[in-house]
Amino acid sequence: MISVIGGGAAGMMAAITAARNGGAVLLFEPNDKLGRKLRITGKGRCNVTNNSDVKTVVENCPVGGKFLYSALSRFTPSDAIVFFESLGVPLKTERGNRVFPESDNANDIADALAKEISRLGIQIACTKARKIHAENGSVTGVTAGGKFYAASSVIIAAGGVSYPATGSTGDGYALAKSLGHAIIEPRGSLVPLVSNDASCAEMMGLSLRNVAITVYDDSKKKIYSDFGELLFTHFGLSGPLILSASAHMRDLGVKPYTIEINLKPALSDGELDHRIQRDFSEFSNRDFQNSLAKLLPRLIIPVIVRRSGIDPTKKCNSITKEERAKLLALVRGFTVPITDARPVSEAIITSGGVDTKEINPTTMESKIVRGLYFAGEVINADAYTGGFNLQIAWSTGFAAGTHAGK
Ligand SMILES: Cc1cc2nc3c(=O)[nH]c(=O)nc-3n(C[C@H](O)[C@H](O)[C@H](O)COP(=O)(O)OP(=O)(O)OC[C@H]3O[C@@H](n4cnc5c(N)ncnc54)[C@H](O)[C@@H]3O)c2cc1C
């Protein structure tokens, strides 16, 4: 019997692969529905993979990329696309090679996997695996719900510790550790960012679209820049642009960072200055603080006015060229100091997990215990946004499922 612990993306792929190869499979999943996290991915649309080559996927994995190369080569993004389309889920490719179900419904992906699991006759034990037994360096079974289930192979696919309400509560780490595996301290990646700047809370709820950000580390080195949408919150910053940026900020909580927001990236300096001059001449008799409504969103205006150092009651027609230049620089580079990340429970991805040094990269088998395999987020490997994290789950699940039955 092949036991799979966790009915998420990786566990379902592993179970299907093992069963298709003729193995008898028992899947442990305490949630009443399989793939609970999968169902909320991509804002409910499920960015199921990234339609790119293996090299590109590896480049998008800041942790574990090299380790994943073999598994990704054996089950590529193209294989994932064929796999889901053959399960009856038509897919489409969007900007940045991001692949989604044509229906824009993540449930279609999870349901297709669940249906295949049922078609293959895979048994499901709706309970938590509590212990993995090993004797003489080989797995012998799993204890769950007070019962012992004999197994010749066990695949740990219990996920990380992000979004614990979906079932990923870190059990995979404890199970791996109990069998002698080293765990790299789990922490959040693709996570909202904390700022000690009170003006973030002042602007809470403000969502900025089509802005550009540049991230600087504590030595003022530029480490990342991107374009998109962000959100001010009571604690700091969130939104797609910020989650992506966080994956590049590997010393969050240890070192401070600065995010510089260009509020008008589509305008050149000359065009922006022209735009400001036009507003100032239109509102020439208004106070400076009441002249920015056409240029900027309402919630950011008091903050910009304060930071500019320009007297808020100064009439627009008496604002100097130097003051205008200050305003322009602020619109171009609105800085937010970043002091930390939100807790890992709020992160899209858990970075850290089972040390890849102790896993065979081709088979996903433990180098410590024979018959023990790993798949998905429980492994110390993670990627940027774009469908790469699910591709890791598919490829490692496929590798573990292929070899666990051999
Ligand atoms: C909001 C959100 C959006 C996301 N969007 C995307 C996206 O669009 N594209 C993308 O590539 N990635 C996305 N991700 C990341 C992606 O969801 C994960 O990388 C992926 O789900 C990891 O799969 P997994 O099977 O390893 O873990 P999980 O999906 O977390 O599954 C683990 C399963 O193990 C079960 N389990 C835990 N402990 C036990 C136990 N003791 N016994 C039995 N079962 C157990 C859990 O109940 C759970 O069902 C998103 C994540 C979040 C939180």
Side-chain angles (χ1 to χ4, degrees):
M1 180 66 77
I2 301 162
S3 285
V4 179
I5 300 177
M12 286 197 278
M13 176 57 87
I16 289 170
T17 308
R20 282 183 177 181
N21 289 339
V25 181
L26 173 61
L27 175 61
F28 293 94
E29 171 54 62
N31 290 332
D32 51 359
K33 247 187 174 169
L34 293 171
R36 191 181 271 183
K37 184 174 279 179
L38 192 52
R39 292 172 192 275
I40 59 162
T41 54
K43 291 190 177 153
R45 295 174 64 220
C46 186
N47 181 188
V48 67
T49 186
N50 193 281
N51 194 355
S52 52
D53 57 17
V54 172
K55 190 171 157 273
T56 306
V57 182
V58 167
E59 282 166 3
N60 278 278
C61 298
V63 178
K66 226 173 121 195
F67 165 81
L68 292 166
Y69 193 89
S70 171
L72 288 167
S73 306
R74 284 176 172 81
F75 193 84
T76 64
S78 308
D79 294 330
I81 292 168
V82 169
F83 175 84
F84 284 105
E85 296 211 314
S86 69
L87 288 184
V89 187
L91 304 175
K92 59 179 173 180
T93 302
E94 296 190 357
R95 184 181 53 83
N97 296 327
R98 291 164 194 249
V99 180
F100 294 88
E102 254 177 30
S103 62
D104 287 327
N105 188 349
N107 286 316
D108 289 356
I109 296 288
D111 288 344
L113 291 164
K115 205 168 140 199
E116 182 65 0
I117 282 175
S118 145
R119 189 189 71 80
L120 290 163
I122 295 170
Q123 291 176 53
I124 300 173
C126 192
T127 178
K128 261 181 180 255
R130 301 278 177 196
K131 185 174 161 62
I132 300 171
H133 300 262
E135 266 171 39
N136 303 322
S138 298
V139 297
T140 54
V142 174
T143 297
K147 269 171 60 184
F148 176 77
Y149 297 84
S152 52
S153 311
V154 175
I155 301 172
I156 301 182
V161 278
S162 310
Y163 279 59
T166 63
S168 0
T169 49
D171 288 11
Y173 304 142
L175 291 167
K177 207 170 167 186
S178 74
L179 292 166
H181 275 275
I183 306 298
I184 308 296
E185 181 66 17
R187 60 179 193 84
S189 183
L190 305 179
V191 63
L193 300 175
V194 176
S195 175
N196 57 3
D197 184 341
S199 59
C200 288
E202 196 181 331
M203 294 184 280
M204 184 170 88
L206 171 62
S207 164
L208 298 175
R209 281 162 198 263
N210 303 324
V211 291
I213 60 164
T214 307
V215 183
Y216 296 92
D217 68 10
D218 60 337
S219 57
K220 306 256 180 312
K221 196 175 142 217
K222 190 176 175 173
I223 57 161
Y224 180 70
S225 52
D226 201 0
F227 175 88
E229 183 183 349
L230 64 78
L231 176 73
F232 286 95
T233 69
H234 65 284
F235 55 76
L237 296 173
S238 190
L241 195 49
I242 297 304
L243 298 182
S244 295
S246 74
H248 298 259
M249 301 158 78
R250 305 309 291 190
D251 290 319
L252 276 168
V254 180
K255 292 181 182 166
Y257 290 87
T258 303
I259 291 190
E260 197 177 81
I261 307 169
N262 181 351
L263 297 159
K264 295 284 172 198
L267 300 181
S268 68
D269 278 354
E271 286 165 341
L272 179 57
D273 190 41
H274 183 73
R275 176 78 202 273
I276 295 171
Q277 284 192 60
R278 204 178 64 200
D279 288 359
F280 281 176
S281 61
E282 187 180 341
F283 306 126
S284 61
N285 289 320
R286 274 197 201 168
D287 291 352
F288 169 57
Q289 63 187 350
N290 297 326
S291 68
L292 300 173
K294 272 187 146 179
L295 184 70
L296 299 168
R298 183 178 54 84
L299 283 173
I300 206 170
I301 294 173
V303 185
I304 295 259
V305 167
R306 218 165 47 229
R307 287 191 184 186
S308 73
I310 304 169
D311 177 356
T313 58
K314 193 168 185 176
K315 297 293 174 215
C316 286
N317 55 19
S318 54
I319 287 174
T320 64
K321 196 174 165 196
E322 288 70 34
E323 287 172 326
R324 219 173 60 228
K326 252 188 195 168
L327 174 63
L328 188 141
L330 263 175
V331 174
R332 272 272 174 268
F334 183 89
T335 56
V336 180
I338 300 300
T339 44
D340 208 343
R342 288 294 281 178
V344 59
S345 57
E346 293 177 29
I348 300 289
I349 278 293
T350 309
S351 188
V354 180
D355 193 342
T356 51
K357 281 201 222 92
E358 298 169 354
I359 306 174
N360 178 323
T362 304
T363 61
M364 296 296 136
E365 188 173 17
S366 158
K367 290 182 183 173
I368 298 174
V369 180
R370 267 190 311 277
L372 179 67
Y373 295 80
F374 299 97
E377 208 172 313
V378 71
I379 300 171
N380 181 33
D382 63 83
Y384 301 136
T385 54
F388 301 107
N389 284 295
L390 280 173
Q391 183 59 44
I392 295 176
W394 311 137
S395 296
T396 55
F398 182 82
T402 302
H403 294 277
K406 281 189 177 162

